[in-house]
């Protein structure tokens, strides 16, 4: 049974930071490209960042220079460090594991507190 469990969301002031975590189980974690997506109110889900099995990363333009994705293949966990948060970063953030099929977490809410 595949499980992706996100944590770390919450309320944050503009300019603040949060670190999201996603713990994976039931998959060979090191074989999967891992990603973070988000769905803002009234919008479609969009890619935020991905990290490949080899450690290569790519980011959506709105978050470049502010967010950092990383993975720990020992802990089977992927992280999203979010700095300089903006009101438009408010969304539900979803963890994704991609290798021929995609698995999704349940999401964690990040909300601007202003």
């Amino acid at each position: 049974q595949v499980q992706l469990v996100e944590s770390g969301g919450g309320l944050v002031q503009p300019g603040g930071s949060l670190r999201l975590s996603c713990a994976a189980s039931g998959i060979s974690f090191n074989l999967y490209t891992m990603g973070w997506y988000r769905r803002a109110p009234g919008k479609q889900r969009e890619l935020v960042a991905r990290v490949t099995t080899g450690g290569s990363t790519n980011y959506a333009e709105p978050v470049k220079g502010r967010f950092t994705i990383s993975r720990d293949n020992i802990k089977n966990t992927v992280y999203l460090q979010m700095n300089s948060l903006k009101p438009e970063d408010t969304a539900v953030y979803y963890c994704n594991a991609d290798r021929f099929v995609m698995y999704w977490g349940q999401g964690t809410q990040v909300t601007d507190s202003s």
Side-chain angles (χ1 to χ4, degrees), residues 29-36 47 49-59 69-73 77-78 96 98-99:
F29 182 82
N30 59 309
L31 297 181
Y32 281 74
T33 290
M34 300 300 298
W36 288 96
L47 173 68
R50 288 190 304 180
V51 56
T52 68
T53 56
S56 297
T57 58
N58 65 289
Y59 297 90
I69 189 171
S70 61
R71 65 188 298 159
D72 185 331
N73 288 341
T77 300
V78 62
N96 169 266
D98 183 7
R99 182 176 186 253

Side-chain angles (χ1 to χ4, degrees), residues 95-106:
C95 178
N96 169 266
D98 183 7
R99 182 176 186 253
F100 308 124
V101 296
M102 281 190 171
Y103 298 104
W104 296 92
Q106 80 289 349

